[in-house]
Amino acid sequence: QSALTQPASVSGSPGQSITISCTGTSSDVGSYNLVSWYQQHPGKAPKLMIYEGSERPSGVSNRFSGSKSGNTASLTISGLQAEDEADYYCCSYAGSGTYVFGGGTKVTVL
Amino acid sequence: EVQLVQSGAEVKKPGESLKISCKGSGYSFTNYWIGWVRQMPGKGLEWMGIIYPGDSHTTYSPSFQGQVTISADKSISTTYLQWSSLKASDTAMYYCARQGLSGSYFVYWGQGTLVTVSS
């Protein structure tokens, strides 16, 4: 069970859109529409941003959206804002009651 | 209000045992899976395992199977993560997190417990 692959860093200017990819395998991301995304600011606990691939929890800005194609899930942040600067992690169900996280992506707002 | 409150920071020596806790409140404790997540210093999140407090059914990541034990005491709405013999490489922040209504994602997170293992 290997970690999902995310880019180490992504950056963008305020107002721009950025996309973070999360690549797994046919045993995890590709088999289930059960990818979730978490935002983590330094020294804080993670916060759920997207679940079941594209669903947004109550209270999460609609600037955050999720999608999936094949073995790759994606998180898009539109209208980038300074407060979006954080680490982002994807997580997928991997069968047999197990889950796997991605390595994390540091988002920098230029 | 749903809350997960974890036990405080621990400093231990290699070879010592440890049990940290995560107490749930504001919801029906026995009806939701709770997972444990490790974050080593400066590193990413790692899924360790998960427990259903209703019947204590537990599933572990292959990476953590045999290295830790996850348990629950539903009478006090608390789940535990324990080690029998700590290693320096167990130094990390540990989070508990409760799944959502339809499962597969972690909605509520504890504040984290920092475990430091050093001689």
Side-chain angles (χ1 to χ4, degrees), chain A residues 1 34 36 38 40 43-48 51-52 89 91 93 96-103, chain B residues 37 39 43-47 50 59-63 95 99 102-107 109-111:
Chain A
Q1 193 179 56
L34 296 175
S36 50
Y38 302 87
Q40 187 181 34
K44 300 293 187 182
K47 174 187 175 184
L48 177 69
Y51 66 98
E52 293 175 356
Y89 297 90
C91 180
Y93 182 66
S96 301
T98 67
Y99 294 81
V100 60
F101 278 99
Chain B
V37 176
Q39 187 166 38
K43 302 298 184 183
L45 305 176
E46 298 174 271
W47 186 82
I50 198 165
T59 303
Y60 294 92
S61 161
S63 300
Y95 293 101
Q99 286 201 319
S102 55
S104 85
Y105 52 93
F106 299 98
V107 187
W109 292 70
Q111 82 277 20

Side-chain angles (χ1 to χ4, degrees), chain B residues 11 21 28-29 31 38 41 45 47 51 53 59 76 90 92 99 104:
Chain B
V11 179
S21 66
S28 178
F29 181 74
N31 290 354
R38 182 175 79 175
L45 305 176
W47 186 82
I51 188 165
T59 303
I76 55 171
D90 292 317
Q99 286 201 319
S104 85

Side-chain angles (χ1 to χ4, degrees), chain B residues 1-35:
Chain B
E1 179 195 8
V2 174
Q3 282 194 309
L4 295 174
V5 178
Q6 298 185 231
S7 49
E10 301 273 3
V11 179
K12 292 289 191 178
K13 290 181 168 32
E16 291 186 332
S17 62
L18 176 65
K19 193 174 190 177
I20 62 175
S21 66
C22 167
K23 182 175 177 61
S25 62
Y27 71 98
S28 178
F29 181 74
T30 55
N31 290 354
Y32 293 88
W33 293 82
I34 293 181

Side-chain angles (χ1 to χ4, degrees), chain A residues 18-38:
Chain A
I18 61 169
T19 297
I20 303 168
S21 61
C22 168
T23 302
T25 70
S26 57
S27 298
D28 39 60
V29 175
S31 284
Y32 310 95
N33 197 26
L34 296 175
V35 173
S36 50
W37 289 89
Y38 302 87

